[in-house]
Amino acid sequence: MASRLSPMVVAVPDSADKAAALKLTPVSRETEARLDAYLDLLRQWQAKTNLVAPSTLPQLWTRHVADSLQLLALAPTARRWLDFGSGGGFPGIVLACAMAEHPGGHVTLVERNAKKAAFLREALRVTGAPGTVMLADIGDNVDRFPRPLDCITARAVAPLHQLIGFAAPLMAEGSKALFLKGQDVEAELTEATKYWKIEPQLHASLTGGQGWIVELDQIQRQTRFTASKEAAANDRH
């Protein structure tokens, strides 16, 4: 497996990086073309808007695209996606590029930064990918998110217990969650179990390094946490 590259590693040519990524997560020629258009746009905007860490620009395909595409295999029938904190478009725009081949496919991208939201809208336009951008904070707008949803995603947005809190009302209606996490995933899971009853499935990232995907199908708030919240509310009154 390819290791995650540090800024000190000599960058491989873009063609080699792309070939390595597509070997891990193959896509059709049509999706590949949409992804090419998206990454061209990202490179143009990167000069004025910090969309990804500059050190990862030489490995956009392996560090970001393949990392996003691998989610598709974990939810092969999902068509309606919601991406929390889409930022530069990973995984949201990548998933939208793939969903263009599926009738009914659609990705809602939630982003609170106006410049990044503008980039995401332009990326959807340029690629022709099916999606909608919501300029919004996640926690304050759960009721506004579209339904029904098949899958909820997030990458480098918030601690796991907070993401679960955001996703809880949507998962109660049948959605799956796939959260991309790093080397601290065990600590985040431990913290999350203080608040939530969960049975996570952990998947090592295909792109190597210390990345993980936390798959959740059902969640339930811990009884003791609910009781403490109710007690606090009563004390205030």
Side-chain angles (χ1 to χ4, degrees), residues 5-235:
L5 303 179
S6 71
M8 298 302 294
V9 174
V10 176
V12 296
D14 183 70
S15 59
D17 180 57
K18 178 179 178 180
L22 293 180
K23 185 176 181 180
L24 289 173
T25 52
V27 296
S28 68
R29 290 183 179 179
E30 292 78 11
T31 294
E32 181 182 340
R34 284 188 285 270
L35 291 170
D36 277 329
Y38 162 50
L39 294 185
D40 285 344
L41 182 71
L42 184 147
R43 293 185 186 97
Q44 295 170 30
W45 278 62
Q46 179 71 14
K48 57 182 178 180
T49 302
N50 188 35
L51 299 171
V52 296
S55 62
T56 67
L57 285 172
Q59 298 92 31
L60 283 174
W61 279 92
T62 49
R63 287 289 298 271
H64 299 297
V65 175
D67 199 46
S68 302
L69 286 173
Q70 66 181 323
L71 299 181
L72 295 170
L74 298 177
T77 62
R79 296 294 179 264
R80 308 287 294 186
W81 298 72
L82 175 67
D83 186 37
F84 288 153
S86 298
F90 304 107
I93 293 293
V94 175
L95 295 172
C97 287
M99 285 299 103
E101 297 186 21
H102 299 284
H106 188 273
V107 180
T108 300
L109 304 105
V110 183
E111 174 54 51
R112 67 178 183 178
N113 181 287
K115 289 184 178 180
K116 291 180 179 179
F119 166 74
L120 295 171
R121 292 190 185 96
E122 182 65 5
L124 291 174
R125 187 192 70 79
V126 167
T127 61
T132 304
V133 178
M134 293 183 64
L135 178 61
D137 284 314
I138 302 168
D140 298 332
N141 291 277
V142 173
D143 291 341
R144 295 176 51 208
F145 297 150
R147 271 85 158 177
L149 289 169
D150 299 315
C151 197
I152 305 161
T153 62
R155 183 177 188 250
V157 176
L160 184 60
H161 73 277
Q162 291 184 11
L163 290 175
I164 295 174
F166 297 149
L170 306 169
M171 293 184 67
E173 299 173 12
S175 301
K176 174 196 288 288
L178 295 172
F179 298 137
L180 290 150
K181 285 293 175 181
Q183 62 182 347
D184 296 328
V185 65
E186 291 291 349
E188 290 200 42
L189 284 168
T190 299
E191 181 67 15
T193 57
K194 296 177 182 178
Y195 308 95
W196 305 97
K197 294 180 181 179
I198 55 176
E199 295 183 3
Q201 295 185 61
L202 280 181
H203 307 274
S205 175
L206 293 178
T207 58
Q210 297 175 309
W212 295 89
I213 302 165
V214 180
E215 178 180 356
L216 297 166
D217 289 305
Q218 293 184 347
I219 59 174
Q220 184 178 353
R221 193 178 292 275
Q222 288 283 15
T223 304
R224 63 180 182 273
F225 181 68
T226 303
S228 65
K229 285 188 67 179
E230 291 175 351
N234 290 333
D235 289 343

